[in-house]
């Protein structure tokens, strides 16, 4: 099973992920952003404003998450902001095709919500 935490930057995805991994027996964490970091070190890719704009990033996230889930078992918790609806639908469809149950949550906090120090 995959638990994907989505939402704007600074909303608490990483903190919530760590808590979920602590609370769910056998859960593991993966940060899909690291796939993008890896790709930024490759030469020859077109210039983009965000690594998520590379179709290759979205493909590799699906492939990496699918294989990682099969390797580690249990729940796999991911924290990654994906705000472009088409990109999210592409990733979601890829994971569904792989047959992995996906639980997607969008975290939201009002501007007035205090940020933990």
């Amino acid at each position: 099973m995959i638990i994907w935490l989505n939402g704007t930057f600074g909303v608490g995805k990483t903190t919530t992920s760590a808590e979920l991994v602590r609370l769910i027996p056998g859960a593991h964490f993966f940060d899909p952003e690291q796939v993008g970091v890896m790709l930024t070190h490759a030469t020859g890719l077109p210039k983009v404003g965000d690594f998520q704009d590379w179709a290759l990033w979205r493909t590799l996230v699906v492939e990496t998450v699918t294989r990682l889930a099969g390797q580690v078992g249990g729940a796999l918790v991911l924290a990654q902001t994906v705000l472009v609806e088409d990109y999210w639908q592409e990733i979601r469809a890829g994971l569904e095709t792989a047959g992995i149950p996906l639980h997607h949550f969008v975290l939201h906090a009002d501007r007035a919500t205090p940020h933990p120090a």
Side-chain angles (χ1 to χ4, degrees), residues 2-62:
I2 295 171
I3 300 170
W4 191 301
L5 301 180
N6 200 343
T8 58
F9 304 103
V11 75
K13 295 179 300 295
T14 302
T15 301
T16 303
S17 294
E19 189 66 11
L20 287 172
V21 168
R22 188 180 73 75
L23 292 172
I24 301 171
H28 302 279
F29 176 77
F30 177 67
D31 181 358
E33 184 168 346
Q34 295 307 310
V35 175
V37 170
M38 175 191 71
L39 289 174
T40 63
H41 295 284
T43 59
L45 291 173
K47 299 289 183 204
V48 293
D50 185 320
F51 58 74
Q52 291 185 14
D53 294 333
W54 286 317
L56 179 59
W57 177 80
R58 301 184 301 277
T59 300
L60 287 176
V61 164
V62 169

Side-chain angles (χ1 to χ4, degrees), residues 8-9 11 108-115:
T8 58
F9 304 103
V11 75
H108 172 78
D110 293 323
R111 289 192 186 274
T113 303
H115 190 276

